[in-house]
Amino acid sequence: MAGITVEAGALLRALSRTLAAVDRRPTVPILATVYLASSGCQLTVAGVNLKMEIRAQLPAVGELPATCVNPRVLRDLLKGLPTSERVTLEAGESGTTLRVLIGEEHWSLPTLPAEDWPAIFAKSEGQLAEIRLDAGWIGDVLARIAPFMSTEDTRYYLNGVLLEAEGDKLLAVATNGAQLGRVERTVPEAATAISAAGFVGPKSSCIIPKDMVRAILAHMRGPLTVALSSAPLVCRVEGDGLTITGKLIDGIYPDYRRILEEPKDIGYEIDRLALLSALVRLKAISSRGEDPIVSICWREGRVFLERRDAEMGIASIPVPGTTLGTWPNIPLHFDRARLAMAAQQIRGSAFRLHGGSSPYSQANLVDVSDPASTFILMPMRGETALPHEPPVPPAEPEVRAAE
């Protein structure tokens, strides 16, 4: 009887990673399973839905005919086992079951025919142009951009991350309409690869959907190979023993560059950790179920983070910081959670907050240690705990009347 032996820890990890692509209650039963098949000295574990496929490979000894099994049942029976425990998978005599042997334990799980497995992304093989990304790209770029992705279906083209290439620069952009994140890194031949994939135009770009971005962040580490195709619209990401393939978003990303103004020398340079600490404490001055509006203002030669609430009281916390060329003539009001999220993406000890020329103008957060990273917030309506001190305009030179 054909069978394959693997380590429990390796199989459990592969199942946990592929589950991100397996729906709990799909309309088609086969989409609730994972695909198992051996090839050489490896076992392939794959999960798929109509938008994405996740495929993991792990070392194995023996052979197993291709079959499909419920991944959650298989995962749960492996939990609690030592990672080095040997697990044997065998096809049942009738071909409709999978036998799982663990020491003296015997399990028999129902299966579905592998022939019914939907090979949704098989046609894209061999048609993709590749971009190679270093080990830090996931944490340094993708993790910082992902929080800005939209989740509204009405503007589906914002439900992902825009990859845009300019020569040897690869830009990652995400926005939900109220805030925007943009990180730029040098990636050799990025524009050449994206153009070779069929994405042509003034700006070579494509949109990776949010589900795929989240799967990459949750399950992949180290260097990546990103392969792209415009016909069909497909992206494949390989790394860390995992392959994630998904459909790119078929839409036109808005021209975000219209709001990327050259930062004016108006604003503050603020200590990041001190600001985040103050934001956590200001949440105390808020009504239950609401995230408060906080204000940044200048008074007595210092930066203050403040909150006023008619029922909960007022708070004013000084934050280490300085002005830039000058400071805004009005206080800046932001949603507390959005300001905290943007500040969390700063990698350096301080950031520059540009803005305040009008109550409706955006605020740009620029990482002092990484000027290629920019995060944009739209202001809110609010009020300060104490008055804001606007800059004093320079005195006009006196004009003496002619004698």
Side-chain angles (χ1 to χ4, degrees), residues 260-266 324 352-355 364 366 371 374:
L260 283 180
E261 304 171 355
E262 188 67 26
K264 299 177 182 178
D265 206 18
I266 303 173
L324 301 179
R352 295 189 181 98
L353 178 62
H354 301 266
N364 290 23
V366 180
T374 301

Side-chain angles (χ1 to χ4, degrees), residues 132-193:
R132 301 188 183 278
L133 304 173
D134 60 36
W137 199 84
I138 294 178
D140 185 41
V141 178
L142 204 58
R144 300 168 69 190
I145 292 300
F148 297 91
M149 296 185 297
S150 176
T151 57
E152 296 181 6
D153 292 335
T154 53
R155 294 186 291 178
Y156 66 93
Y157 44 82
L158 298 182
N159 293 349
V161 169
L162 175 74
L163 286 186
E164 187 174 66
E166 295 179 355
D168 286 345
K169 295 186 181 299
L170 185 64
L171 290 71
V173 181
T175 181
N176 57 19
Q179 51 197 150
L180 179 145
R182 176 181 180 270
V183 177
E184 174 187 309
R185 290 293 179 265
T186 298
V187 178
E189 303 298 327
T192 302

Side-chain angles (χ1 to χ4, degrees), residues 34 41 75 132 159 202 232 285 315 370 400:
V34 291
C41 298
R75 177 198 60 184
R132 301 188 183 278
N159 293 349
I285 308 295
D370 179 18
R400 294 185 178 182

Side-chain angles (χ1 to χ4, degrees), residues 11 23 30 61 114 130 151 160 171 182 216 223 234 252 273 285 289 300 330 340 402:
L11 180 56
D23 295 331
I30 195 71
V61 178
E130 296 183 347
T151 57
L171 290 71
R182 176 181 180 270
I216 294 170
V234 169
I252 299 176
L273 292 179
I285 308 295
E300 300 172 355
I330 56 175

